């Protein structure tokens, strides 16, 4: 009992210092060099509302202060790499109370598509991205994420091709916030959880069926791998192909809109018959 009270008090104190440190980071002016990088590299940024741009920059300062970046296979880590990754990841955090991907400590960056070791144990906790050549990888118990810099750059440059490895891998991290890799992020109420599970189950089953029969789909059929990949792939489509996703999968779009508290149709660069 006493120990329980003591540890709760300790968590409250730690939380207080963490919040205070984050407030101080947000109060710092955003470095102009970083803003130049975002404007040059992250295509969606200039399409966001001014208030969302400001919020995204605040989040980016905090994420960059709290996460380690390490280069692999000869890749040097530069501000360009750190900022391009962090700014994209922070799109997932807008409008919500967030703890900044708390299970993630380190981001490992390879120059290009990397080969995963065949010796690596593949368990329920480790998710493969592709077969052996991968653009990105993360797992609930890894504490790290691996990204290919060329895939990060191409994903950031085209905001409406439906592919964004940063959004995909960081969506997995959101999934882990409630300590499971089950395609269901932390949702506020039981009612929301039930609605989410019902919609995701139905949509996942239909993607699976489409993959088996070879019917073309808006969602990448990699999402048919399992519920966790379905959430990551759906997140990419939500931010990159929102007009089509809303038209073809209105219930899926509505669930994602409620969770992310955003309507990407408003800032989408997507070109379709509907908005040409
Ligand atoms: Zn994945």
């Amino acid at each position: 009992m006493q120990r329980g009270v003591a540890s709760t008090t300790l968590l409250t104190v730690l939380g207080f210092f963490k919040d205070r440190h984050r407030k101080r980071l947000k109060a710092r002016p955003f470095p102009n060099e970083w803003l130049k990088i975002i404007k040059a590299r992250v295509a969606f940024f200039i399409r966001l509302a001014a208030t969302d741009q400001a919020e995204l920059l605040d989040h980016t300062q905090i994420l960059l202060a709290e996460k380690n970046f390490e280069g692999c296979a000869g890749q040097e880590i530069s501000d360009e790499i750190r900022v391009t990754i962090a700014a994209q990841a922070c799109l997932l955090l807008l409008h919500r109370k967030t703890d900044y991907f708390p299970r993630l400590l380190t981001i490992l960056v390879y120059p290009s598509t990397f080969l995963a070791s065949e010796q690596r144990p593949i368990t329920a906790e480790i998710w493969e991205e592709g077969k052996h050549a991968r653009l990105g990888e993360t797992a609930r118990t890894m504490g790290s994420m691996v990204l290919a810099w060329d895939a990060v750059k191409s994903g950031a440059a085209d905001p409406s091709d439906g592919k964004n490895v940063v959004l995909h891998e960081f969506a997995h991290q959101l999934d882990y916030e409630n300590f499971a890799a089950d395609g269901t992020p932390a949702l506020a109420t039981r009612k929301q959880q039930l609605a989410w599970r019902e919609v995701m189950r139905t949509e996942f089953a239909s993607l699976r069926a489409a993959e088996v029969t070879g019917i073309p789909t808006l969602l990448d059929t990699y999402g048919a791998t399992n519920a966790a990949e379905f959430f990551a792939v759906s997140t990419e489509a939500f931010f990159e192909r929102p007009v089509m996703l809303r038209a073809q999968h209105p219930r899926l779009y509505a669930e994602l809109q409620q969770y992310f508290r955003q309507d990407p149709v408003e800032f989408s660069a997507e070109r379709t018959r509907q908005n040409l």
Side-chain angles (χ1 to χ4, degrees):
M1 182 69 183
Q2 284 304 312
R3 275 176 61 184
V5 171
S7 60
T8 306
T9 308
L10 180 64
L11 283 176
T12 307
V13 171
L14 289 176
F16 169 78
F17 283 112
K18 191 161 69 174
D19 287 348
R20 194 172 69 170
H21 184 59
R22 285 173 176 169
K23 274 189 192 133
R24 284 183 182 162
L25 287 168
K26 282 186 191 177
R28 286 188 197 166
F30 196 82
N32 206 28
E33 286 305 310
W34 292 4
L35 187 58
K36 277 189 200 159
I37 292 167
I38 293 175
K39 285 181 174 169
R41 286 278 182 211
V42 183
F44 70 73
F45 180 76
I46 55 160
R47 307 183 69 91
L48 294 177
T51 49
D52 287 354
Q53 287 183 350
E55 188 184 342
L56 187 123
L57 298 184
D58 282 350
H59 287 325
T60 302
Q61 296 243 70
I62 293 169
L63 200 66
L64 287 173
E66 294 190 356
K67 309 301 177 193
N68 300 311
F69 287 75
E70 287 177 25
C72 301
Q75 179 65 57
E76 296 279 333
I77 293 297
S78 61
D79 276 357
E80 186 181 27
I81 290 177
R82 297 167 70 243
V83 170
T84 303
I85 292 170
Q88 292 181 82
C90 289
L91 181 63
L92 303 180
L93 304 181
L94 296 180
H95 308 173
R96 292 183 297 123
K97 187 169 164 34
T98 180
D99 198 21
Y100 298 90
F101 309 105
R103 306 184 70 78
L104 177 66
L105 306 173
T106 301
I107 296 149
L108 303 164
V109 184
Y110 280 77
S112 58
T113 307
F114 52 94
L115 293 176
S117 165
E118 291 184 43
Q119 309 303 319
R120 193 177 199 112
I122 304 299
T123 68
E125 302 297 340
I126 304 233
W127 306 102
E128 267 195 310
E129 306 300 318
K131 288 180 183 164
H132 300 299
R134 303 184 198 173
L135 308 177
E137 178 184 31
T138 194
R140 189 172 69 81
T141 53
M142 270 168 67
S144 62
M145 173 183 293
V146 189
L147 292 168
W149 173 227
D150 61 356
V152 170
K153 273 190 291 188
S154 61
D158 188 336
S160 55
D161 63 356
K163 294 188 196 317
N164 187 304
V165 70
V166 174
L167 296 182
H168 181 107
E169 300 303 335
F170 278 87
H172 281 313
Q173 286 293 326
L174 292 179
D175 185 9
Y176 307 154
E177 283 183 2
N178 60 353
F179 305 98
D182 58 359
T184 306
L187 298 167
T189 65
R190 179 86 185 131
K191 195 177 160 206
Q192 256 182 292
Q193 288 169 9
L194 292 173
W196 178 281
R197 293 218 171 94
E198 199 275 310
V199 170
M200 295 298 156
R201 195 165 36 230
T202 310
E203 295 280 350
F204 176 70
S206 94
L207 185 63
R208 246 197 154 133
E211 190 197 21
V212 170
T213 51
I215 295 168
T217 54
L218 174 68
L219 293 167
D220 188 326
T221 51
Y222 186 57
T225 308
N226 54 44
E229 295 305 340
F230 185 78
F231 173 55
V233 162
S234 298
T235 298
E236 285 180 271
F238 178 67
F239 285 103
E240 296 241 336
R241 308 293 307 277
V243 177
M244 292 296 286
L245 189 71
R246 190 177 64 175
Q248 294 184 15
H249 302 271
R251 294 180 72 216
L252 175 60
Y253 190 86
E255 287 302 320
L256 292 167
Q257 189 180 1
Q258 191 177 16
Y259 170 65
F260 284 111
R261 298 190 192 178
Q262 297 186 58
D263 185 2
V265 167
E266 289 173 2
F267 60 86
S268 174
E270 191 180 3
R271 289 284 170 265
T272 68
R273 283 198 188 90
Q274 286 97 322
N275 68 354
L276 269 177

